[in-house]
Amino acid sequence: MSAVVNSDLARFSKEIAALDMKPLWERVMRLKPGTAARAAIWRWTDTRPLLARACELITAKQAERRVLMLENPALAGTTFITPTLYAGLQAILPGEIAPTHRHTPNALRFVMEGEGAYTAVDGERIAMRPGDFVVTPGWTWHDHGNAGPGPVVWLDGLDTAFANLFGAHFREDYPEEKQRAVPPRSETFLSFPYERTRASLERLSKSGNPHPSHGWKLRYMDPATGKDPFPTMTAFMQQLPKGFAGRNCRSTDGAVHCVVEGKGSVDIGATHLEFAPHDVFVVPSWEPYRLAAGTDCVLFSYSDRAAQEALGFWREET
């Protein structure tokens, strides 16, 4: 290209830039599958002592929510574990109440440790036991309390990035610390107890061979609607038998995994991670990964698959 043409293009670029336009032929945006997020793991042996320290330093009332956020190392400053998902570890001590509020993002709770806590959703109290998956729909009043003998810890998962993207992140505090309790509503489905989920996995494991990549895997569905519990997030529980060596697979949904039982490993791209109970790891969008189990393993996970399927974007290779 001649110097004259280059000069003309340079002047032209300045002219259109003055009108807040840019030439498509100079674009630098990402035009391939995947995201900037990268594989990462938060080990329970590291996070649990820090949660205990947080309990010593700050009360639930002072913090409002005593949470350690799991921020993807490649997404510094975003507070997100993937570009679309938030994850955090929340701890509540006996006798404490995390005050009532509501927000447009949907939230899930996956209980990791402790007995006696509850989440109240629009006044309906849901017991929280290890392995339980609790649903908090967007714009519902919710608080947490602990009537048990020791600390309770759970994994928070939210679709905050979706609300931010659309400029629709609204939040409101309740006028009182906690809500008035109401009887359970038959039309709502807010909890998937682990005992029932584990029994379903056991039945599934006796029905045939495990999937070569996923083992025996269940997708949580709202029995009233037959749909995912959230319009944006999908949740799963899967079981890997001892000695399982999974095949490579990948999909466009970025997924957050929490180890419920057992020890094993995951290879995500060139990254090898060993995992143990209560560890949390993230598999970014379209990164090839494979799971292996040193013992019988159970993994909980959630992803943005529901939103991707609704929009026609979701893909998988196994």
Side-chain angles (χ1 to χ4, degrees):
M1 189 177 291
S2 71
V4 173
V5 173
N6 277 333
S7 177
D8 289 342
L9 275 175
R11 283 195 300 271
F12 180 59
S13 293
K14 289 181 181 179
E15 287 177 32
I16 64 174
L19 296 175
D20 298 315
M21 296 188 291
K22 292 191 177 186
L24 177 65
W25 55 87
E26 292 180 5
R27 66 186 169 195
V28 293
M29 68 178 70
R30 184 186 183 104
L31 293 174
K32 59 183 179 179
T35 69
R38 71 172 188 245
I41 190 168
W42 292 263
R43 292 187 169 84
W44 187 245
T45 52
D46 297 324
T47 58
R48 186 61 183 85
L50 294 175
L51 283 167
R53 185 69 174 141
C55 288
E56 295 173 0
L57 294 173
I58 189 166
T59 67
K61 188 172 183 179
Q62 289 172 322
E64 185 182 7
R65 296 292 190 267
R66 190 192 289 111
V67 177
L68 299 181
M69 299 184 295
L70 309 182
E71 184 180 76
N72 193 286
L75 303 174
T78 66
T79 75
F80 297 144
I81 194 165
T82 77
T84 59
L85 299 173
Y86 166 98
L89 299 177
Q90 182 165 175
I92 187 168
L93 295 175
E96 287 186 331
I97 294 172
T100 307
H101 65 201
R102 64 180 178 178
H103 40 66
T104 44
N106 298 283
L108 65 83
R109 326 288 174 188
F110 183 73
V111 187
M112 300 169 71
E113 176 187 272
E115 298 268 359
Y118 67 84
T119 288
V121 179
D122 281 342
E124 182 177 344
R125 287 193 176 187
I126 300 102
M128 303 176 78
R129 302 179 182 89
D132 289 0
F133 163 40
V134 177
V135 176
T136 309
W139 208 237
T140 55
W141 294 111
H142 57 279
D143 58 75
H144 313 294
N146 185 355
V152 177
V153 179
W154 62 83
L155 173 67
D156 285 325
L158 285 85
D159 58 0
T160 311
F162 287 95
N164 291 352
L165 175 65
F166 294 116
H169 192 157
F170 293 87
R171 187 187 180 285
E172 186 177 356
D173 291 323
Y174 196 69
E176 300 174 27
E177 187 175 51
K178 62 179 181 179
Q179 311 165 66
R180 179 176 60 86
V182 301
R185 303 174 183 86
S186 59
E187 73 274 10
T188 59
F189 201 85
L190 300 173
S191 175
F192 297 84
Y194 184 54
E195 182 179 356
R196 188 167 61 210
T197 304
R198 195 68 174 84
S200 296
L201 276 175
E202 284 298 319
R203 288 194 296 271
L204 183 62
S205 70
K206 291 177 172 57
S207 67
N209 294 327
H211 185 280
S213 296
H214 304 307
W216 295 289
K217 191 170 185 178
L218 297 172
R219 180 171 179 169
Y220 288 97
M221 307 296 282
D222 185 332
T225 64
K227 298 179 180 179
D228 292 295
F230 306 105
T232 50
M233 296 186 291
T234 303
F236 305 92
M237 191 77 84
Q238 66 193 109
Q239 182 177 348
L240 310 175
K242 180 180 179 179
F244 180 81
R247 293 181 187 170
N248 260 355
C249 59
R250 62 179 176 176
S251 58
T252 52
D253 53 324
V256 180
H257 294 72
C258 181
V259 183
V260 188
E261 301 178 27
K263 295 183 177 181
S265 65
V266 59
D267 288 278
I268 308 169
T271 302
H272 177 78
L273 302 171
E274 302 281 338
F275 60 73
H278 304 330
D279 289 352
V280 178
F281 63 90
V282 59
V283 178
S285 170
W286 211 239
E287 279 290 325
Y289 74 97
R290 62 181 181 273
L291 294 161
T295 67
D296 288 338
C297 291
V298 178
L299 306 175
F300 170 81
S301 63
Y302 68 97
S303 79
D304 57 8
R305 179 169 170 175
Q308 290 202 23
E309 287 180 335
L311 295 169
F313 292 150
W314 187 78
R315 292 191 184 192
E316 180 183 37
E317 285 184 355
T318 59

